[in-house]
Amino acid sequence: MTKPTTLYRHFDENGVLLYVGISRKLLARIYNHEIRSPWFHLVHNIRTTHFPSAELAESAEAVAIATEFPLHNVSEGRTVAARKAASIARNRDKAIA
């Protein structure tokens, strides 16, 4: 049996994407961010998309993180945005050399 899962995006007051995640229990997950995420005080808007299964939500989350570069999603010990900035700098340096 598949379980509905929600993809959520946290934005700051200027519309900057702070975080992308998924949850089957959205309100509990938001509360968890509120008490544990040092960036949560910056959240001004939360947008949600509902999916009929966790698998679909996980795929959408992966695409969103890879293409939208949220500031506070962490992968490989660095934020996704920091990894993207480092990649751009490396490519720029290669082009200059």
Side-chain angles (χ1 to χ4, degrees), residues 14-29:
N14 297 311
V16 174
L17 181 59
L18 299 172
Y19 189 85
V20 173
I22 60 171
S23 181
R24 289 189 186 131
K25 297 180 179 181
L26 182 61
L27 295 179
R29 183 64 177 129

Side-chain angles (χ1 to χ4, degrees), residues 10-95:
H10 291 301
F11 295 89
D12 74 7
E13 65 182 342
N14 297 311
V16 174
L17 181 59
L18 299 172
Y19 189 85
V20 173
I22 60 171
S23 181
R24 289 189 186 131
K25 297 180 179 181
L26 182 61
L27 295 179
R29 183 64 177 129
I30 291 171
Y31 176 72
N32 183 271
H33 281 304
E34 183 178 15
I35 62 173
R36 295 176 191 226
S37 301
W39 49 262
F40 190 81
H41 69 282
L42 300 171
V43 175
H44 184 75
N45 186 10
I46 300 171
R47 294 185 197 149
T48 61
T49 306
H50 304 286
F51 291 89
S53 70
E55 294 79 18
L56 290 173
E58 288 167 1
S59 294
E61 177 190 35
V63 169
I65 291 169
T67 61
E68 299 172 32
F69 313 111
L71 293 179
H72 296 284
N73 283 81
V74 176
S75 174
E76 299 171 11
R78 294 190 292 173
T79 65
V80 174
R83 286 187 15 252
K84 178 64 176 174
S87 175
I88 290 169
R90 280 192 305 274
N91 290 335
R92 182 193 66 228
D93 292 345
K94 286 179 187 176

